[in-house]
C-alpha cells in the first residue's frame, strides 16, 4: 500500500512534535521555578540595595527629609505661639462668653496639634535607618511635650 508509508511518516512526525512540545514545556516549567528560586534567594540583597538607593542616592529624598525636621520643629513653635496668644486672651477676661468658648476651643486645638507634631518629630527621629539619618546635628534628638517652649536649631 502506497499510503501506509505516508502514515508511518506522519505518525513519526506527530510523535516528534508531541515530544518536542513536552520537552519545551518541561524546560519552561524548570526555567520558571529556577528563576523564581533565584529571585527569592536574592530578595534580601535586592531589598537592601533598593533601600540604600532610595535613602542615600535620591537627592529629593535627602533634601525633603532634612527639611522635614526643621519644618516639624518650626510648626511646634508656631503652635506654641498660638497657645500663648489664646492663653493671654483668656487671661485678659475681656471676651464675651461665646468668644471665651471659641478661644478655649482654639487653645485646646493648638495644644493637641503641638502634641501631635512633637509625637511625629520624635517618631521620625527614632527611624534610625531612614528619616533619622537626616536629622541635622543642630536640631534636638527629640522634643519634650511637657516643656513650655521648644528650641529648634542650636548654634
Amino acid at each position: 500500500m502506497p499510503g501506509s508509508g505516508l502514515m508511518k511518516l506522519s505518525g513519526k512526525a506527530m510523535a516528534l512534535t508531541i515530544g518536542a512540545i513536552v520537552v519545551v514545556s518541561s524546560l519552561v516549567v524548570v526555567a520558571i521555578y529556577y528563576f523564581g528560586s533565584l529571585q527569592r534567594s536574592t530578595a534580601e540583597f535586592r531589598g537592601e540595595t533598593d533601600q540604600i538607593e532610595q535613602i542615600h542616592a535620591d537627592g529629593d529624598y535627602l533634601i525633603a527629609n532634612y527639611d522635614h525636621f526643621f519644618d516639624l520643629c518650626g510648626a511646634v513653635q508656631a503652635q506654641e505661639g498660638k497657645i500663648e496668644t489664646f492663653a493671654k486672651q483668656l487671661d485678659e477676661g475681656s471676651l464675651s462668653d461665646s468668644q471665651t468658648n471659641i478661644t478655649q476651643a482654639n487653645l485646646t486645638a493648638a495644644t493637641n496639634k503641638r502634641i501631635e507634631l512633637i509625637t511625629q518629630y520624635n517618631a521620625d527621629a527614632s527611624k534610625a535607618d531612614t528619616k533619622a539619618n537626616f536629622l541635622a546635628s543642630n536640631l534636638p534628638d527629640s522634643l519634650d511635650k511637657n516643656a513650655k517652649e521648644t528650641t529648634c536649631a542650636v548654634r
Side-chain angles (χ1 to χ4, degrees):
M1 292 211 152
S4 69
L6 186 57
M7 293 286 278
K8 281 185 180 181
L9 186 59
S10 293
K12 285 183 181 180
M14 186 179 286
L16 285 174
T17 302
I18 291 172
I21 289 172
V22 168
V23 168
V24 168
S25 298
S26 298
L27 289 175
V28 166
V29 168
V30 167
I32 288 170
Y33 282 104
Y34 171 76
F35 288 115
S37 295
L38 181 64
Q39 206 172 13
R40 184 173 291 171
S41 68
T42 62
E44 186 175 333
F45 171 77
R46 288 180 297 110
E48 287 176 17
T49 301
D50 188 43
Q51 178 187 8
I52 290 167
E53 286 293 316
Q54 286 182 13
I55 294 170
H56 298 289
D58 182 351
D60 291 337
Y61 181 86
L62 297 171
I63 293 167
N65 281 290
Y66 182 80
D67 289 345
H68 173 74
F69 288 102
F70 283 101
D71 294 344
L72 276 177
C73 199
V76 168
Q77 289 177 322
Q79 292 303 314
E80 289 170 353
K82 290 178 183 180
I83 291 167
E84 185 179 329
T85 300
F86 295 138
K88 280 181 186 175
Q89 289 174 345
L90 290 170
D91 287 343
E92 289 173 358
S94 60
L95 300 173
S96 69
D97 286 344
S98 65
Q99 288 173 322
T100 299
N101 289 340
I102 291 169
T103 303
Q104 185 60 51
N106 288 337
L107 176 61
T108 301
T111 302
N112 289 340
K113 184 64 176 178
R114 178 182 179 270
I115 292 169
E116 179 186 321
L117 291 166
I118 289 173
T119 301
Q120 184 65 57
Y121 182 99
N122 292 342
D124 290 346
S126 68
K127 296 175 182 172
D129 290 333
T130 55
K131 285 186 183 288
N133 284 311
F134 309 104
L135 178 62
S137 60
N138 62 338
L139 285 175
D141 292 334
S142 65
L143 300 180
D144 182 3
K145 58 183 152 192
N146 296 318
K148 185 171 173 80
E149 214 174 277
T150 301
T151 302
C152 290
V154 180
R155 297 203 181 250

